[in-house]
Amino acid sequence: MNIPFVDLKSQYLSIKEEVDGAIQNIISNTAFIGGPAVKEFETAFADYAGAKHAVGCANGTDAIEIALKSVGVMPGDEVIVPATTWISTAEAVTAIGGVPVFADMIPGLYTIDPQDVEKKITAKTKVILPVHLYGLPARMDEIMVIAKKHGLKVVEDCAQAHGATYKGQKVGTFGDAGTFSFYPGKNLGAYGDAGGMITNDDQVAEMMRMICDHGMQGKHNHVVEGRNSRLDGIQAAVLTVKLNHIEKWTAARIANAKYYNEQLKDSGLVIPTTPEESRHVFHLYVVQVANRDEVMQNLSDKGVGVGIHYPTPLPFLKAYERFGHAKTDFPAATAQMNKIVSLPMFPELTEAQIDFVTEELMGVAVV
Ligand SMILES: Cc1ncc(COP(=O)(O)O)c(C=O)c1O
């Protein structure tokens, strides 16, 4: 059975008329950069995300970088990031001259460990940057208590967690800013690169807007040095169409994860858990197996798309060898790095497809 890792085609076909019409409209109006479609999406997304302001930008990596700058990160400032995440989270810190300081994860949840965060705080720490990894919110109440105690800012990387909630509150609204990626494969994905930021702070929002558009406050009035990181009209129009469907798609992801869990509950494998206080939006469905190479080979041979998110915790990448970290610095991240495997996860996945994946998985997996 051929089961892709994600299936963007079937989602497109389900909204083809709406999307094609929205794109054609932008072309007819030649509103390619900024304009009414971007405003419309920003307003709708702010409402969806439960924030006062949403600011579109070029991608989710820029979103983190611009948000950090907008909350006042300066060269030399330390930003605490998870050891286990996509590299953008740390790259964004370095891009503005900051120093990423890595903290370990909570075993089984994969999100940043608040206790390790507190241990990593120094006189130079400016921001805590949790990631709601795989769609599961980080423990925001503990993180906010630590941030308040030490006078730190919080920027949440919500690239994988559109619509996730922690204790009933949407991610991205706990700290000073939240950042999103709208990369095509994300839970809310554009048809190209796109990103966005949210905040409840008027001044932070103003700074975000300026930085995205060459530091301008009105034409030719460059108040600060910014850059070009604008959301384009076509992507905004696609995102507005897709935003109308996201709750239905998220519910389907959650139902698929529940069905996966039921099929795998007696397998003895480490499967995703959702703490009671969280709405996990399952951008990824990750399990742990002792014989990963064999499992991945078997699933690929049977036509099942699989992935690893992520094979190497950031501190152990060549890009960050300058920090001189050892595996023992991040025991939780180290313990899972050779075991994690991501199974197909997308809203249109069927129970028959999940049956096939889990049967093939259990036929080979070693606990
Ligand atoms: C956790 C995390 N942060 C940031 C990003 C960066 O997003 P983008 O690819 O849109 O730059 C991603 C996307 O892969 C991500 O997964």
Side-chain angles (χ1 to χ4, degrees):
M1 197 187 276
N2 213 20
I3 307 173
F5 186 64
V6 291
D7 187 356
L8 299 182
K9 190 78 179 270
S10 68
Q11 187 174 87
Y12 166 60
L13 293 176
S14 74
I15 52 170
K16 185 175 183 317
E17 262 180 47
E18 282 178 273
V19 167
D20 290 0
I23 292 173
Q24 188 54 56
N25 192 32
I26 298 296
I27 298 171
S28 303
N29 294 329
T30 64
F32 297 118
I33 302 287
V38 170
K39 272 220 156 43
E40 188 188 352
F41 173 66
E42 288 177 341
T43 305
F45 191 71
D47 184 50
Y48 176 72
K52 191 168 175 194
H53 305 278
V55 179
C57 65
N59 57 68
T61 310
D62 282 6
I64 306 169
E65 188 185 325
I66 294 164
L68 289 173
K69 234 179 163 172
S70 300
V71 303
V73 174
M74 303 291 281
D77 287 344
E78 292 179 1
V79 176
I80 300 177
V81 302
T84 317
T85 177
W86 172 242
I87 191 168
S88 298
T89 318
E91 272 178 333
V93 177
T94 316
I96 54 176
V99 181
V101 174
F102 301 104
D104 208 355
M105 52 170 252
I106 302 170
L109 294 185
Y110 306 99
T111 53
I112 198 165
D113 178 356
Q115 287 184 0
D116 202 39
V117 167
E118 191 153 27
K119 284 187 205 148
K120 300 289 163 68
I121 294 171
T122 72
K124 289 186 177 166
T125 309
K126 186 77 177 250
V127 173
I128 304 172
L129 207 177
V131 179
H132 306 302
L133 200 70
Y134 305 158
L136 177 69
R139 284 201 180 140
M140 289 314 299
D141 50 359
E142 291 166 57
I143 290 167
M144 293 312 296
V145 166
I146 295 167
K148 282 211 173 74
K149 185 169 142 194
H150 296 273
L152 304 175
K153 304 273 187 193
V154 173
V155 173
E156 300 168 59
D157 180 349
C158 314
Q160 302 187 2
H162 315 71
T165 62
Y166 183 76
K167 298 193 171 169
Q169 187 178 335
K170 287 262 172 77
V171 296
T173 62
F174 290 86
D176 299 272
T179 67
F180 292 83
S181 166
F182 303 124
Y183 180 80
K186 294 290 195 261
N187 287 24
L188 180 62
Y191 286 177
D193 272 316
M197 300 160 278
I198 59 171
T199 182
N200 287 322
D201 184 312
D202 296 349
Q203 278 177 335
V204 170
E206 179 63 14
M207 187 56 88
M208 287 169 169
R209 275 191 197 289
M210 286 198 293
I211 294 173
C212 286
D213 198 9
H214 302 292
M216 282 193 291
Q217 214 173 39
K219 203 160 189 185
H220 298 308
N221 182 28
H222 302 273
V223 178
V224 293
E225 250 188 335
R227 54 189 293 188
N228 174 1
S229 183
R230 298 178 296 228
L231 178 60
D232 73 67
I234 289 179
Q235 301 311 335
V238 170
L239 288 166
T240 301
V241 168
K242 292 182 82 176
L243 192 59
N244 289 325
H245 299 273
I246 186 143
E247 273 308 296
K248 174 184 69 193
W249 289 332
T250 302
R253 284 178 183 275
I254 294 168
N256 289 340
K258 194 166 167 228
Y259 191 70
Y260 260 124
N261 278 0
E262 276 164 22
Q263 305 315 301
L264 294 173
K265 69 176 188 300
D266 299 323
S267 65
L269 300 174
V270 177
I271 59 175
T273 45
T274 305
E276 217 176 84
E277 67 271 19
S278 300
R279 183 191 196 214
H280 189 327
V281 293
F282 287 97
H283 174 58
L284 293 167
Y285 184 88
V286 176
V287 299
Q288 293 185 30
V289 294
N291 57 335
R292 185 170 64 191
D293 289 351
E294 204 186 338
V295 162
M296 290 185 75
Q297 190 61 54
N298 180 57
L299 287 170
S300 314
D301 289 349
K302 299 284 163 47
V304 177
V306 285
I308 306 173
H309 300 85
Y310 297 91
T312 310
L314 301 186
F316 310 145
L317 289 171
K318 188 161 174 25
Y320 296 115
E321 70 184 3
R322 64 185 182 278
F323 295 113
H325 282 299
K327 297 254 157 69
T328 45
D329 295 340
F330 305 97
T334 300
Q336 52 89 60
M337 64 182 277
N338 295 321
K339 295 183 181 168
I340 46 170
V341 54
S342 310
L343 303 179
M345 172 51 81
F346 50 90
E348 298 79 11
L349 198 62
T350 65
E351 289 191 353
Q353 289 176 315
I354 295 174
D355 286 340
F356 184 82
V357 174
T358 51
E359 274 158 30
E360 287 299 332
L361 172 71
M362 287 188 291
V364 179
V366 173
V367 176

